[in-house]
């Protein structure tokens, strides 16, 4: 366990209509009871403005789920880091495995998006994690080290940065790694980041993500090297999201 303030971020993915704003209101109400944990909600772009209005003045931060590397331009369908910042967002998730596999994102594209996030004053939440075949063939640490080396720009040594370890096979499956497996990967990440950034690596918070639920959050969140959670499905309901956050307190 570290003494860094823990952070729980909800990745709503492609979920959430305006009716979901009631959940955001409930999150805002509950958040003040958990001041020792940083909270972030990353809604879909369509309701991000409305969510941002509700979060204004609350302890919960707003985040995007991706951004383009350019400031603006002819990129139909894309959202820039500057646009997220303009909306009041403070965070952006980058390199999620769903984008790496379905949108063909590479370490190089993730690194350029992270640089864009820094440029706009956003804190990137950069995702890494192995697939099941990679885990089964004993390549987990090699894969994660490679993603860290390739996806994190040099500026991460001096800018607020968050890393989320999300084993692909744990996302949306109800399966989670053992606590020893989580601790092993987080320790390897600390070592890799320290080798690259020195003492500044101590400022980089390391989240775990993949089937985090209220039931398993207490043990996952108290695992060595875990500074919080990136939560998918369980972040859509205020009660579950707040229970997970309470497990960090
Ligand atoms: P689940 O919590 O639904 O497994 O999703 C995890 C995730 O991908 C968060 O980014």
């Amino acid at each position: 366990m570290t003494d860094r303030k823990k952070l729980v971020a909800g990745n709503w993915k492609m979920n959430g209509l305006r009716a979901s704003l009631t959940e955001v209101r409930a999150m805002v109400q509950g958040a003040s009871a958990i001041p020792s944990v940083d909270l972030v909600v990353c809604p879909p772009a369509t309701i991000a403005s409305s969510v941002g209005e509700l979060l204004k003045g609350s302890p919960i931060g707003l985040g995007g789920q991706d951004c383009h590397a350019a400031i603006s331009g002819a990129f139909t369908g894309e959202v820039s880091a500057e646009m997220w910042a303009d909306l009041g967002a403070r965070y952006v998730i980058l390199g999620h495995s769903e984008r790496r596999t379905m949108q063909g994102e590479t370490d190089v594209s993730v690194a350029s998006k992270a640089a864009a996030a820094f440029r706009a004053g956003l804190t990137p939440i950069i995702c890494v994690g192995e697939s099941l075949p990679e885990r089964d063939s004993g390549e987990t640490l090699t894969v994660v080290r490679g993603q860290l080396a390739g996806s994190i720009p040099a500026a991460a040594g001096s800018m607020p940065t968050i890393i989320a370890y999300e084993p692909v096979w744990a996302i949306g499956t109800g399966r989670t790694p053992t606590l020893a497996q989580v601790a092993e990967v987080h320790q390897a990440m600390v070592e890799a980041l320290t080798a690259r950034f020195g003492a500044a690596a101590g400022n980089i918070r390391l989240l775990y993500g993949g089937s985090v639920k209220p039931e398993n959050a207490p043990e996952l969140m108290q695992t060595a090297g875990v500074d919080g959670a990136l939560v998918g499905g369980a972040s859509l309901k205020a009660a579950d999201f707040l229970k997970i956050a309470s497990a960090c307190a």
Side-chain angles (χ1 to χ4, degrees):
M1 220 190 325
T2 69
D3 47 13
R4 292 190 287 259
K5 189 173 183 185
K6 285 194 165 61
L7 180 145
V8 176
N11 174 10
W12 283 24
K13 310 191 181 186
M14 198 174 74
N15 297 291
L17 302 172
R18 280 178 295 170
S20 317
L21 296 175
T22 55
E23 296 299 324
V24 178
R25 281 189 201 95
M27 288 174 188
V28 168
Q29 271 190 338
S32 49
I34 323 167
S36 60
V37 182
D38 286 333
L39 298 176
V40 181
V41 174
C42 304
T46 47
I47 55 169
S49 178
S50 307
V51 172
E53 288 302 319
L54 293 176
L55 297 184
K56 217 173 262 176
S58 88
I60 307 180
L62 178 68
Q65 298 178 12
D66 179 47
C67 72
H68 196 276
I71 296 174
S72 62
F75 302 105
T76 302
E78 297 287 341
V79 177
S80 72
E82 280 73 10
M83 290 169 170
W84 282 117
D86 185 51
L87 198 65
R90 291 193 278 130
Y91 303 86
V92 64
I93 298 169
L94 296 174
H96 191 281
S97 67
E98 286 151 16
R99 295 201 60 86
R100 288 180 187 261
T101 53
M102 293 185 242
Q103 269 75 31
E105 296 209 0
T106 63
D107 288 342
V108 171
S109 65
V110 174
S112 62
K113 289 174 177 208
F118 292 143
R119 184 187 66 214
L122 301 177
T123 299
I125 302 174
I126 300 171
C127 304
V128 298
E130 82 287 1
S131 65
L132 193 54
E134 289 165 342
R135 159 80 49 192
D136 287 343
S137 58
E139 294 170 70
T140 297
L141 299 185
T142 307
V143 167
V144 170
R145 286 189 192 110
Q147 289 174 330
L148 288 178
S151 307
I152 301 175
S158 56
M159 304 289 280
T161 304
I162 297 170
I163 311 289
Y165 168 55
E166 297 207 309
V168 178
W169 50 274
I171 294 176
T173 60
R175 294 182 59 192
T176 53
T178 65
L179 302 182
Q181 288 171 328
V182 173
E184 179 188 37
V185 175
H186 279 242
Q187 177 61 28
M189 294 199 292
V190 168
E191 286 167 11
L193 294 168
T194 303
R196 183 161 169 209
F197 298 115
N203 300 324
I204 301 178
R205 287 188 278 192
L206 305 178
L207 313 183
Y208 167 79
S211 296
V212 178
K213 309 286 176 206
E215 300 73 36
N216 60 22
E219 53 179 17
L220 280 168
M221 293 303 105
Q222 302 309 321
T223 299
V226 173
D227 300 315
L230 182 56
V231 186
S235 73
L236 297 170
K237 290 279 167 222
D240 288 351
F241 185 62
L242 292 167
K243 272 186 212 153
I244 291 168
S246 299
C248 291

